[in-house]
Amino acid sequence: IQLTQSPSSLSASVGDRVTITCRASQGISSYLAWYQQQPGKAPKLLIYAASTLQSGVPSRFSGSGSGTDFTLTISSLQPEDFATYYCQQLNSYPLTFGGGTKVEIK
Amino acid sequence: EVQLVESGGGLVQPGGSLRLSCVGSEFTFSSYSMSWARQAPGKGLEWVSAISGSGGSTYYADSVKGRFTISRDNSKNTLYLQMNSLRAEDTAIYYCAKFNGASSSRWFDPWGQGTLVTVSS
């Protein structure tokens, strides 16, 4: 199952609303997770089951979708949110990741 | 706090072998599937392999099938990745991750800090 993330990069300002999309090549129900990766660090889980916020993750992050189309939204971008974001499908093997979306400072 | 610590990375020649280890703590290791993922320099994440809690089921990406072997020793809370016939394109940071699951959801959390594998002559 291929995951296509868009955009591959974006520039935004602090306080902006940011939306990242992830499209699966076939239906994956809600077996989708989102991760944030800061430079030089391991990925960190943000959202699982497409829309469940991981404990400790700020509520400005939200996820939606099911089937083939998914969205990660950051309601008000904060300085610590500048990072690369990946979606991952866990519906079936081989598991796959999207290509990533790099969120940069405008 | 649940923690995963990888080790075993290093420089190896093409065609060589390396074994990575990942020690888990503060959770019942044998109750969870575990997984390896990797990230080539400047590239995105790539899933590599997964193993069930008992070790009875294993899964591989096509890119490593037949060359890599995942295993675990639940008495030592340790996950392994035996990598043979290494190629330059296997150069990456290798992460282990705890594979969590519920009735209608699955996810990787946490991830280890990663160990760097460099395949070069």
Side-chain angles (χ1 to χ4, degrees), chain B residues 44-118:
Chain B
L45 297 169
E46 179 187 15
W47 174 75
V48 172
S49 184
I51 186 168
S52 63
S54 66
S57 297
T58 57
Y59 308 88
Y60 298 94
D62 286 345
S63 59
V64 306
K65 200 174 295 183
R67 300 188 299 123
F68 289 12
T69 301
I70 191 171
S71 63
R72 63 193 298 160
D73 184 338
N74 287 338
S75 69
K76 296 181 179 179
N77 286 1
T78 302
L79 173 73
Y80 301 102
L81 186 68
Q82 177 67 43
M83 304 185 296
N84 299 331
S85 302
L86 283 162
R87 307 166 179 167
E89 54 264 35
D90 296 318
T91 294
I93 297 172
Y94 285 73
Y95 296 100
C96 66
K98 179 171 169 275
F99 194 163
N100 305 272
S103 59
S104 59
S105 57
R106 304 181 188 113
W107 63 94
F108 285 6
D109 182 67
W111 298 55
Q113 85 287 354
T115 187
L116 177 62
V117 172
T118 303

Side-chain angles (χ1 to χ4, degrees), chain A residues 29-33 35 37 40-45 47-49 54 86 88 90-100, chain B residues 33 35 37 39 43-47 50-51 59-62 95 99 102-109 111-114:
Chain A
S29 185
S30 295
Y31 290 101
L32 188 102
Y35 303 91
Q37 188 177 33
K41 298 290 185 63
K44 171 190 169 185
L45 176 70
I47 286 168
Y48 62 94
Q54 170 69 346
Y86 295 93
Q88 180 198 27
L90 302 102
N91 179 71
S92 61
Y93 290 103
L95 307 183
T96 45
F97 291 93
Chain B
S33 294
S35 189
Q39 187 168 38
K43 302 296 185 182
L45 297 169
E46 179 187 15
W47 174 75
I51 186 168
Y59 308 88
Y60 298 94
D62 286 345
Y95 296 100
F99 194 163
S103 59
S104 59
S105 57
R106 304 181 188 113
W107 63 94
F108 285 6
D109 182 67
W111 298 55
Q113 85 287 354

Side-chain angles (χ1 to χ4, degrees), chain A residues 13-93:
Chain A
S13 301
V14 172
D16 283 354
R17 181 182 182 88
V18 168
T19 299
I20 299 168
T21 64
C22 180
R23 175 164 289 176
S25 59
Q26 64 189 76
I28 58 171
S29 185
S30 295
Y31 290 101
L32 188 102
W34 289 97
Y35 303 91
Q36 177 193 64
Q37 188 177 33
Q38 303 281 3
K41 298 290 185 63
K44 171 190 169 185
L45 176 70
L46 296 176
I47 286 168
Y48 62 94
S51 60
T52 302
L53 194 67
Q54 170 69 346
S55 176
V57 173
S59 60
R60 61 181 179 274
F61 291 93
S62 64
S64 65
S66 68
T68 60
D69 293 309
F70 302 87
T71 299
L72 173 70
T73 299
I74 310 172
S75 60
S76 178
L77 200 64
Q78 297 302 300
E80 59 268 31
D81 301 337
F82 291 95
T84 301
Y85 294 85
Y86 295 93
C87 57
Q88 180 198 27
Q89 71 82 16
L90 302 102
N91 179 71
S92 61
Y93 290 103

